[in-house]
C-alpha cells in the first residue's frame, strides 16, 4: 500500500473520529415515535435539533452518522459528552447514550424437535407457507449456498417493501424468491474504528457474508432442503431450515471488528418498515443496559408495536445475571444440546482410552506419537504456565517436534484455539490435546489432529504422564454418534438469569438447540476450519439456538397469521418441556440441577406450540404500563406512545400478563394476576396444578370453565413468605390442563429474609 493511500486512509479515520484532539464520541439520540410525513422531514428536523446545539446547520450535517426515520425517530452523531448531556435534557428526547460494540453471540436439530410431525403445517399449500418473511440481522449471507435455492417457491410476497441493495460482489441477481431482500450497514462501525480497509481483512461492502455466522443462522431458520450435507462426512443428512418455504430479508450489521449499536438500530428501523414478520438477532451486548439505552430493546419495542416477533440470543456469558436481550417484548433464547455428539477418542500408550470431542479433518496416521505437556515445552524465557496455553512464540520447537502437545486454556470461551494449533504446527508438532471445561460444546476444526478433553480426562492424562517415562498417544478420527441420552442438557456457555434490569420478568424465556449445529457456511470463512473451504459448518452458541426459535415463530405465523407477537411468545413458552429424553428434569452438562434461570419456560416444543390451548396476551399499552412501573418518565412515555400516560399508581411489573411469573421481592403477602384466552373449539374446563416450595401459595379460581373460543378469564395467585425463610429464590410452576393441553408457567419468587 502506497504512502499516499495510507495518508488518505489516515485522513478518513481522523475525519470519522472528529477533530483530532477533541473528546467527541459516537452517540445515539433516541426520540421514540414521530408523526413526520416522510423520511426527509425527519432528517431535516434532526439536523435542526443538532444545529441548535452546534450553532451551524452544515456542522450538524457533518457530525450526523445515521438517521432513524421510518419506524421511530432518532439519529446518531459524533458529539462531546457535554453536547450529549444537553440533548438528553430536550423534552423530545427519550434517551442519549454512547453507541457500543455488540458480539455475535441443521441436519439433526429439526428432526430432534419433531417439526415434521406437525400436521397443520404439512397440510398448508406452498403459497401460504411461503408468505412469511424473516429478517435476519447478522453478518450477511452467502447467496450461492444451495440452502438458499428458491426451487418451488412462489412469487415474492406483495407486502414486502424491502430492497436488494447491490454492493461489492453482490448484485440484485443474488437475490431470488428465497433471499428477497439484502441490505448492509457500516457507517457506525467506521465512525468508531475508521475505514474497514485499514484492517487488511477480506470483506465486501455488501450483504455478502465472509464470516459465515449470518449464513449459518439464516439457513437454520429457512434454508431449503439440501441432500447429503455434511462437514468432512460428519453429521451427514438432509440439511434444512425450520421453515424451508419462508422468505429471508438479510441485514448485514456485523463486520470482522464487531457490530455497532447505531448500525443495528438502522437495520431494525429498515426491517420494521420492510414489513417482515419475524426478526432474528443472534447478537447482543455482553452487559445489560436499561431498555431505553439498549438498541435491540428500542428497535424491538417498535417491532412489537407493528406486530413483528423478535427472537434474540441470550448470550454466551455462562454466568448468573448475564442474560442479554432481556426486554419482555423480546423472545430471549438460551442454548441446549441435541441427541448427537462428535467423539474423537484418544488411545494412550498404556492402552487406556480417553473420550474427547472435535471435528477432526486430519486422516488417522494409524500410530502412536510421543506426548508432551505445553508447560514442559516452554521456549527460553517463557514461564511454564504461559507455555501451557500453547500460543505463538511460547513453545520450544526442539521439544515439540513430532509430538502431540497437551494445551490448556488461558480464558474459556475467548481463547483462539486455531492459534494454538498453528503454533504447534509451526514448531513441528503433529497434534494437540486441548483441555477445555466446555468440552464437547465448542468444537473446532484444526490444521493438525486436535481433540478437546474435559477435566476428568485431563486427570487421567496427568496420571499417565506421572507413571510412565515415554508417554505416547494416538488421536482417532471423529465419528458421529446419535441417540445420545440424556438430551437436551443445558449448554455450559449459555447465559443465565435473573434479569437484572427487571427481575419480575424471568429470563431467558426458552431454550433451543444451540450446540454443534450444522448449517450453511461462507466458503471464505476459513478461520477455525484448517484453511479449508466449507459449504457447511458445525458451530455452537445461543446464536445457533435463536434461529431455531425464530423459525418456530415463523411457523406459528404461517399457521396463525393473525396472532400477535405476545400470543406467539406465549404459545412457545407455555408448551415447552422441562424433561429430557430419559424422562428426567433437564440438567446441566455436569449433571447439576437447573432452574428457570437456565432454561426459562423449558425446551421448545414446536408440535405443541401450534395448538397451545390457552394464551397469555399483552399489547403496547400493557408494555407502557410496565415501563411506567419500571421507572420511565412521563416525557419518555409521551414520546413512546402519545395517547397514553402512566397510571397512578402504576401497574406492578409482576402483573404484566407474561407467560411466566416472577416476583422480585416477597416480604409478606402478595397477589399476582394473569388473564388467559381460550383458543380451542367448544366448551372446556381447565384444572390448575400449583407447585412451589419455600413459600405458601394458592390459586383462585383453581378451575377455569370456558364456553367458546376467544373467551378470557382472570385468575389470582396469592403468595406468602414463611416467617422462618432464609431468603433467596424459590422456584415452581403453575399448570392449567384439560384433556388435550398442558399450559405451564414457570414461577420464580425472590423471598426477602425477615
Amino acid at each position: 500500500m502506497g504512502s499516499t493511500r495510507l495518508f488518505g486512509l489516515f485522513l478518513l479515520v481522523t475525519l470519522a473520529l472528529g477533530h483530532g484532539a477533541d473528546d467527541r464520541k459516537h452517540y445515539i439520540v433516541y426520540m421514540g415515535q414521530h408523526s413526520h410525513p416522510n423520511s426527509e422531514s425527519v432528517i431535516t428536523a434532526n439536523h435542526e435539533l443538532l444545529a441548535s446545539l452546534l450553532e451551524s446547520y452544515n456542522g450538524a450535517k457533518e457530525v450526523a452518522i445515521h438517521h432513524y426515520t421510518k419506524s421511530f425517530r432518532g439519529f446518531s452523531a459524533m458529539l462531546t459528552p457535554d453536547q450529549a448531556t444537553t440533548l438528553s435534557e430536550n423534552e423530545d428526547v427519550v434517551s442519549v447514550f454512547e453507541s457500543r460494540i455488540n458480539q455475535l453471540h441443521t441436519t439433526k436439530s429439526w428432526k430432534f424437535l419433531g417439526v415434521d410431525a406437525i400436521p397443520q403445517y404439512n397440510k398448508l399449500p406452498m403459497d401460504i407457507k411461503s408468505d412469511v418473511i424473516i429478517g435476519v440481522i447478522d453478518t450477511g449471507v452467502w447467496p450461492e449456498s444451495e440452502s438458499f435455492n428458491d426451487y418451488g417457491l412462489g412469487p415474492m410476497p406483495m407486502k414486502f417493501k424491502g430492497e436488494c441493495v447491490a454492493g461489492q460482489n453482490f448484485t440484485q441477481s443474488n437475490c431470488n424468491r428465497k433471499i428477497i431482500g439484502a441490505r448492509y450497514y457500516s457507517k457506525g462501525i467506521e465512525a468508531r474504528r475508521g475505514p474497514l480497509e485499514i484492517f487488511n481483512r477480506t470483506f465486501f461492502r455488501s450483504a455478502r457474508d465472509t464470516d459465515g455466522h449470518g449464513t449459518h443462522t439464516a439457513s437454520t431458520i429457512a434454508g431449503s432442503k439440501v441432500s447429503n450435507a455434511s462437514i468432512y462426512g460428519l453429521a451427514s443428512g438432509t440439511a434444512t431450515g425450520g421453515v424451508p418455504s419462508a422468505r429471508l430479508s438479510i441485514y448485514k450489521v456485523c463486520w470482522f471488528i464487531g457490530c455497532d449499536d447505531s448500525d443495528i438500530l438502522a437495520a431494525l428501523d429498515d426491517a420494521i418498515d420492510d414489513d417482515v414478520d419475524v426478526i432474528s438477532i443472534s447478537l447482543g451486548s455482553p452487559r445489560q443496559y436499561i431498555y431505553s439505552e439498549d438498541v435491540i430493546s428500542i428497535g424491538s419495542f417498535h417491532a412489537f408495536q407493528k406486530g413483528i416477533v423478535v427472537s434474540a440470543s441470550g448470550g454466551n456469558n455462562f454466568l448468573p445475571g448475564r442474560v442479554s436481550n432481556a426486554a419482555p417484548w423480546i423472545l430471549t433464547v438460551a442454548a441446549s444440546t441435541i441427541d448427537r455428539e462428535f467423539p474423537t477418542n484418544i488411545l494412550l500408550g498404556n492402552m487406556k482410552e480417553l473420550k474427547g470431542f472435535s471435528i477432526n479433518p486430519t486422516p488417522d496416521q494409524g500410530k502412536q506419537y510421543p506426548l508432551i505437556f505445553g508447560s514442559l515445552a516452554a521456549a527460553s524465557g517463557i514461564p511454564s504456565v504461559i507455555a501451557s496455553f500453547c500460543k505463538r512464540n511460547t513453545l520450544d520447537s526442539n521439544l515439540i517436534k513430532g509430538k502431540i502437545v497437551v494445551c490448556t486454556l488461558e480464558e474459556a470461551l475467548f481463547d483462539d484455539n486455531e492459534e494454538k494449533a498453528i503454533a504447534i504446527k509451526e514448531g513441528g508438532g503433529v497434534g494437540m490435546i486441548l483441555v477445555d471445561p466446555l468440552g464437547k460444546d465448542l468444537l473446532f476444526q484444526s490444521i493438525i489432529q486436535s481433540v478437546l478433553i474435559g477435566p476428568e480426562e485431563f486427570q487421567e492424562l496427568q496420571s499417565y504422564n506421572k507413571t510412565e517415562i515415554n508417554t505416547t498417544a494416538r488421536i482417532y478420527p471423529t465419528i458421529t454418534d446419535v441417540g445420545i441420552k440424556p438430551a437436551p442438557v443445558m449448554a455450559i456457555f449459555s447465559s443465565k438469569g435473573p434479569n437484572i434490569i427487571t427481575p419480575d420478568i424471568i429470563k431467558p424465556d426458552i431454550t433451543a438447540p444451540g450446540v454443534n449445529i450444522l448449517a450453511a457456511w461462507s466458503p471464505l470463512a476459513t478461520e477455525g476450519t484448517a484453511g479449508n473451504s466449507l459449504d457447511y459448518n458445525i458451530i455452537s452458541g445461543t446464536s445457533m439456538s435463536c434461529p431455531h426459535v425464530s423459525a418456530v415463530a415463523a411457523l406459528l405465523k404461517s399457521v396463525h397469521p393473525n396472532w400477535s407477537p405476545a400470543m406467539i411468545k406465549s404459545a412457545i413458552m407455555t408448551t415447552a418441556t422441562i424433561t429430557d429424553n430419559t424422562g428426567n428434569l433437564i440438567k446441566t452438562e455436569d449433571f447439576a440441577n437447573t432452574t428457570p434461570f437456565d432454561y426459562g419456560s423449558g425446551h421448545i416444543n414446536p408440535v405443541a406450540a401450534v395448538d397451545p390451548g390457552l394464551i397469555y396476551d399483552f399489547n403496547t399499552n400493557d408494555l407502557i404500563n410496565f415501563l411506567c412501573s419500571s421507572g420511565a418518565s412521563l416525557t419518555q412515555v409521551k414520546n413512546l406512545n402519545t395517547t397514553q400516560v402512566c397510571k397512578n399508581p402504576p401497574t406492578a411489573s409482576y402483573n404484566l400478563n407474561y407467560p411466566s411469573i416472577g416476583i422480585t421481592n416477597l416480604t409478606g403477602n402478595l397477589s399476582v394476576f394473569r388473564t388467559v384466552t381460550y383458543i380451542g373449539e367448544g366448551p372446556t374446563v381447565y384444572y390448575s396444578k400449583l407447585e412451589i416450595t419455600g413459600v405458601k401459595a394458592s390459586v383462585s379460581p383453581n378451575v377455569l370453565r370456558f364456553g367458546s373460543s376467544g373467551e378470557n378469564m382472570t385468575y389470582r395467585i396469592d403468595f406468602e413468605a414463611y416467617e422462618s425463610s432464609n431468603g433467596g429464590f424459590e422456584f415452581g410452576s403453575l399448570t392449567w390442563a384439560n384433556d388435550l393441553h398442558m399450559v405451564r408457567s414457570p414461577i420464580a419468587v425472590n423471598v426477602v429474609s425477615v
Side-chain angles (χ1 to χ4, degrees), residues 363-551:
D364 180 26
Q365 301 301 313
K367 66 176 184 177
Q368 296 273 322
Y369 288 96
L371 264 180
I372 188 169
F373 283 66
S375 58
L376 301 177
S380 178
I382 302 297
S384 61
V385 66
I386 299 299
S388 71
F389 305 140
C390 300
K391 294 188 174 182
R392 278 178 162 168
N393 303 316
T394 65
L395 299 173
D396 187 333
S397 60
N398 292 320
L399 295 176
I400 68 170
K401 186 175 182 179
K403 297 178 182 178
I404 295 174
V405 185
V406 181
C407 306
T408 61
L409 292 178
E410 181 177 19
E411 192 173 7
L413 291 179
F414 302 108
D415 266 18
D416 186 341
N417 293 338
E418 184 63 9
E419 180 192 355
K420 300 175 189 292
I422 291 172
I424 292 170
K425 180 170 183 169
E426 289 177 344
V430 297
M432 175 174 68
I433 298 174
L434 179 60
V435 184
D436 187 346
L438 300 181
K440 56 190 175 184
D441 279 359
L442 297 175
L443 306 185
F444 72 103
Q445 302 92 53
S446 172
I447 60 174
I448 57 175
Q449 294 184 81
S450 298
V451 59
L452 301 172
I453 62 171
E456 292 184 7
E457 288 75 18
F458 183 48
Q459 289 182 359
E460 289 274 0
L461 196 59
Q462 286 179 310
S463 176
Y464 170 57
N465 192 59
K466 290 177 181 177
T467 57
E468 300 285 344
I469 298 176
N470 297 314
T471 55
T472 61
R474 174 184 176 184
I475 300 175
Y476 283 112
T478 303
I479 62 173
T480 304
D481 197 357
V482 297
I484 298 298
K485 293 184 178 181
V489 298
M490 293 307 303
I492 293 175
F493 58 76
S494 188
S495 295
K496 301 170 178 58
N499 173 3
I500 63 173
I501 303 299
T502 47
D504 287 334
I505 304 299
I506 298 174
K507 290 288 180 171
D509 291 312
I510 198 79
T511 188
V515 177
N516 300 328
I517 303 301
L518 178 77
W521 195 245
S522 166
L524 295 186
T526 57
E527 183 176 354
T529 62
N532 297 313
S533 176
L534 296 175
D535 296 320
Y536 289 85
N537 198 11
I538 293 174
I539 53 176
S540 301
T542 55
S543 283
M544 283 60 257
S545 55
C546 167
H548 282 85
V549 176
S550 304

Side-chain angles (χ1 to χ4, degrees), residues 167-423:
Q168 286 183 340
N169 204 23
F170 195 99
T171 67
Q172 291 187 348
S173 65
N174 287 124
C175 292
N176 57 12
R177 291 172 298 179
K178 167 64 70 177
I179 301 173
I180 61 174
R183 301 177 187 263
Y184 65 98
Y185 309 81
S186 63
K187 288 182 180 179
I189 196 73
E190 292 186 288
R192 171 187 291 270
R193 301 291 299 275
L196 296 170
E197 287 80 3
I198 68 175
F199 294 95
N200 195 28
R201 293 282 294 271
T202 299
F203 75 96
F204 298 107
R205 284 187 178 277
S206 70
R208 182 171 292 278
D209 180 17
T210 56
D211 178 272
H213 191 275
T215 299
H216 198 281
T217 56
S219 64
T220 300
I221 300 169
S224 302
K225 291 185 177 181
V226 179
S227 301
N228 300 317
S230 71
I231 172 173
Y232 306 120
L234 300 171
S236 61
T238 299
T240 181
V243 193
S245 54
R247 315 305 181 96
L248 293 165
S249 186
I250 303 299
Y251 304 86
K252 179 179 175 179
V253 300
C254 294
W255 306 81
F256 48 86
I257 49 176
C259 326
D260 189 81
D261 267 353
S262 66
D263 294 331
I264 296 168
L265 197 56
L268 284 162
D269 190 21
D270 281 337
I272 295 167
D273 189 64
D274 290 345
D275 210 3
V276 302
D277 298 292
V278 176
I279 295 175
S280 186
I281 310 178
S282 286
L283 56 94
S285 171
R287 290 181 53 195
Q288 281 194 9
Y289 297 93
I290 61 173
Y291 302 137
S292 61
E293 296 184 5
D294 180 277
V295 294
I296 296 177
S297 170
I298 290 168
S300 299
F301 178 85
H302 292 279
F304 182 95
Q305 285 183 306
K306 295 291 182 66
I308 300 169
V309 180
V310 178
S311 167
S313 50
N316 304 327
N317 287 309
F318 66 84
L319 296 173
R322 297 293 295 274
V323 62
S324 301
N325 301 319
W329 47 88
I330 297 174
L331 192 46
T332 310
V333 188
S336 43
T337 67
I338 60 175
D339 60 344
R340 179 182 65 194
E341 292 179 347
F342 299 98
T344 305
N345 290 350
I346 305 165
L347 181 66
L348 302 180
N350 61 0
M351 296 296 106
K352 174 76 174 182
E353 196 164 289
L354 303 181
K355 189 172 185 178
F357 299 90
S358 71
I359 303 296
N360 189 8
T362 306
D364 180 26
Q365 301 301 313
K367 66 176 184 177
Q368 296 273 322
Y369 288 96
L371 264 180
I372 188 169
F373 283 66
S375 58
L376 301 177
S380 178
I382 302 297
S384 61
V385 66
I386 299 299
S388 71
F389 305 140
C390 300
K391 294 188 174 182
R392 278 178 162 168
N393 303 316
T394 65
L395 299 173
D396 187 333
S397 60
N398 292 320
L399 295 176
I400 68 170
K401 186 175 182 179
K403 297 178 182 178
I404 295 174
V405 185
V406 181
C407 306
T408 61
L409 292 178
E410 181 177 19
E411 192 173 7
L413 291 179
F414 302 108
D415 266 18
D416 186 341
N417 293 338
E418 184 63 9
E419 180 192 355
K420 300 175 189 292
I422 291 172

Side-chain angles (χ1 to χ4, degrees), residues 564-737:
S564 70
M567 294 173 74
I568 290 174
K569 174 192 278 265
S570 175
I572 289 173
M573 292 175 62
T574 60
T575 58
T577 60
I578 60 169
T579 55
D580 58 32
N581 57 4
T582 69
N584 296 310
L585 294 178
I586 294 172
K587 301 281 189 180
T588 66
E589 290 194 84
D590 54 1
F591 304 105
N593 293 327
T594 53
T595 74
F597 291 157
D598 295 288
Y599 52 65
S601 295
H603 189 258
I604 194 166
N605 183 352
V607 177
V610 172
D611 181 23
L614 300 177
I615 287 289
Y616 295 86
D617 199 7
F618 56 87
N619 57 32
T620 301
N621 291 338
D622 297 318
L623 291 179
I624 294 294
N625 289 331
F626 166 81
L627 291 171
C628 291
S629 70
S630 302
S633 68
L634 294 175
T635 298
Q636 289 175 327
V637 169
K638 175 179 70 69
N639 289 329
L640 289 174
N641 189 333
T642 57
T643 64
Q644 189 174 352
V645 296
C646 290
K647 293 180 179 180
N648 189 16
T651 303
S653 57
Y654 52 73
N655 278 329
L656 176 66
N657 202 43
Y658 209 68
S660 57
I661 299 166
I663 300 173
T664 305
N665 293 305
L666 179 65
T667 56
N669 298 305
L670 186 147
S671 296
V672 172
F673 294 86
R674 290 289 189 273
T675 298
V676 289
T677 302
Y678 172 52
I679 59 168
E681 297 180 2
T684 190
V685 179
Y686 277 85
Y687 298 91
S688 65
K689 182 178 182 180
L690 181 61
E691 298 177 291
I692 189 167
T693 59
V695 297
K696 301 176 185 177
S698 61
V699 59
S700 179
N702 60 6
V703 177
L704 301 178
R705 302 180 186 275
F706 296 96
S708 60
S709 183
E711 187 177 349
N712 298 325
M713 293 198 72
T714 298
Y715 65 84
R716 183 187 76 240
I717 305 180
D718 298 317
F719 294 94
E720 182 181 351
Y722 289 113
E723 292 184 2
S724 59
S725 174
N726 293 321
F729 276 100
E730 302 289 349
F731 301 99
S733 65
L734 171 65
T735 303
W736 293 100

